Amino acid sequence: MKFRNINVKECVRFDTQRREVAHLTSLSWKNMPHVSYVYEPDITEFYDELMVLSDERKKSGYNIDLSILMIKVVVEGLLSAPKLNSYIEYNYASSNGKLYILDEINVALPWLLPDGRIINPNILNAENKSLNEIAEYISNISKKLEKTNIDELLYRAAENDAFSELRKLNLNIVWRVFPSELTKHKAKRPQLRERAEYYRIPLDEKLLVRDLISGTVTISNYGAIYGPLYKNLTGYYSFLNIMPPQTFIVGMSVVQERPTIFINKDGAKEIGIRKILPMCLVFDHRAFDLDSIFPFVRRLDEIFSKPKVIHEW
């Protein structure tokens, strides 16, 4: 087989997950003017306090690591900058837009599956959860994934998205549905008997469509996703795609040790090796301007400079 006169080793058709990712990222790139802000806080004392907190919580049966703690940190930042936790509607032809500032913070977490695919399960109502409750919620997601048929879940999520667009009279969605349903390259689904068995599993023991489509903000932590597979990761995010209709995404890189100038306990400047956590904050410029993320950054600065607050969470 050749493609443009080049020999092809293998042709891999997009599965349901890849189709949905391709569609959403293309939609985001086509319609959304992104602004990327790289934030590099010094988390040296914060990290030391995490080690103390982690030992304390283990005695109660909770495993609190940096990834889990940073979810709570981001939620605290969003409570100080509520505009970032929003959905947008915008009509390019008329220039009319609406920003829906949301009353609940549902954190979408990119999650690496054993087969290499990534899905984004949501921590629902994270604004009302303690640090222990967030850790427990993530543990429950892991357990539910063991009983979740990912192909059926993704199919239902895509179906939900299609019906939502049809209700808005977006007939272009037909061209997404048609090849998924009526051609020989149908979206992958379990067989009827397998589906019948799957739907007998209690709802509270598996992930549901709402667990994938309710995200109000995304936290992409490549250290948590790929760290166990690839040791000594370096580099950092400088740009990410926002998943519409969300308006904000946080990209967290791995902690890096760097020589830097810091203020010591005596209030004097000093040069030393410090722990830096590069974070990429990307927002939809249609929704707001750069000043809208500064309350978020200031709140994170407060937490990193006075980290004992994490013991209250």
Side-chain angles (χ1 to χ4, degrees):
M1 177 183 174
K2 289 180 178 289
F3 181 73
R4 295 188 177 182
N5 291 322
I6 303 295
N7 291 327
V8 175
K9 182 182 295 184
E10 181 183 9
C11 177
V12 180
R13 292 193 175 274
F14 284 7
D15 60 13
T16 305
Q17 182 260 357
R18 200 72 252 155
R19 287 178 180 180
E20 196 65 11
V21 170
H23 171 72
L24 288 175
T25 53
S26 297
L27 188 67
S28 173
W29 186 263
K30 178 181 178 181
N31 295 324
M32 194 178 296
H34 292 65
V35 175
S36 176
Y37 179 86
V38 177
Y39 168 54
E40 297 186 297
D42 182 335
I43 65 163
T44 307
E45 285 77 23
F46 175 82
Y47 193 88
D48 292 341
E49 204 64 47
L50 165 62
M51 298 298 101
V52 176
L53 176 75
S54 180
D55 289 340
E56 291 175 352
R57 299 292 171 97
K58 279 180 182 177
K59 297 174 184 176
S60 303
Y62 293 97
N63 182 24
I64 307 296
D65 59 15
L66 181 62
S67 299
I68 292 173
L69 181 55
M70 284 304 300
I71 293 170
K72 182 65 173 174
V73 170
V74 169
V75 170
E76 288 291 313
L78 291 171
L79 291 172
S80 295
K83 190 182 288 188
L84 304 182
N85 187 60
S86 57
Y87 284 164
I88 189 173
E89 280 187 350
Y90 179 73
N91 185 300
Y92 181 81
S94 65
S95 297
N96 288 324
K98 294 179 182 178
L99 187 68
Y100 298 92
I101 300 173
L102 304 168
D103 197 34
E104 56 187 71
I105 299 175
N106 300 331
V107 178
L109 292 177
W111 194 292
L112 183 65
L113 300 174
D115 62 8
R117 293 184 293 178
I118 288 180
I119 62 171
N120 290 4
N122 305 156
I123 302 176
L124 303 178
N125 298 113
E127 76 282 3
N128 295 326
K129 289 180 169 53
S130 68
L131 188 55
N132 287 352
E133 288 171 333
I134 289 174
E136 189 172 14
Y137 202 102
I138 292 175
S139 177
N140 286 335
I141 289 175
S142 184
K143 292 174 183 176
K144 288 180 179 182
L145 277 169
E146 295 177 1
K147 294 187 177 182
T148 300
N149 188 300
I150 299 300
D151 289 318
E152 181 66 11
L153 177 65
L154 291 171
Y155 180 90
R156 289 298 184 188
E159 183 180 63
N160 182 280
D161 179 55
F163 282 123
S164 176
E165 290 301 313
L166 285 173
R167 283 193 290 270
K168 299 175 187 176
L169 301 180
N170 178 10
L171 300 182
N172 290 328
I173 197 69
V174 172
W175 299 108
R176 287 183 60 207
V177 175
F178 179 80
S180 298
E181 292 296 326
L182 302 177
T183 71
K184 65 179 180 179
H185 305 300
K186 291 183 179 181
K188 184 179 179 182
R189 293 188 71 187
Q191 297 298 316
L192 285 174
R193 181 180 297 179
E194 187 181 354
R195 289 209 297 268
E197 293 177 359
Y198 176 65
Y199 283 108
R200 283 195 285 269
I201 298 174
L203 295 180
D204 61 353
E205 294 182 10
K206 60 189 176 185
L207 291 184
L208 306 177
V209 170
R210 71 167 179 262
D211 296 313
L212 284 191
I213 67 171
S214 303
T216 64
V217 66
T218 300
I219 302 176
S220 183
N221 184 339
Y222 80 69
I225 298 171
Y226 295 110
L229 297 177
Y230 304 99
K231 303 299 182 183
N232 302 318
L233 285 171
T234 58
Y236 56 86
Y237 284 119
S238 60
F239 186 86
L240 299 96
N241 262 33
I242 301 168
M243 293 295 99
Q246 297 174 28
T247 60
F248 185 59
I249 184 171
V250 177
M252 288 195 298
S253 307
V254 293
V255 177
Q256 301 175 10
E257 290 191 334
R258 298 182 189 170
T260 187
I261 299 173
F262 67 99
I263 306 297
N264 63 24
K265 294 180 180 179
D266 299 324
K269 290 183 179 180
E270 187 177 332
I271 297 176
I273 302 299
R274 307 288 287 177
K275 287 182 170 63
I276 306 298
L277 178 59
M279 299 176 65
C280 182
L281 313 177
V282 183
F283 65 90
D284 183 343
H285 210 340
R286 297 174 303 175
F288 36 78
D289 299 318
L290 184 62
D291 65 311
S292 294
I293 74 167
F294 292 149
F296 177 89
V297 171
R298 281 198 297 268
R299 178 60 181 137
L300 267 60
D301 282 341
E302 290 174 1
I303 294 169
F304 295 140
S305 64
K306 299 177 180 178
K308 289 191 182 296
V309 68
I310 67 177
H311 295 277
E312 301 172 10
W313 295 346

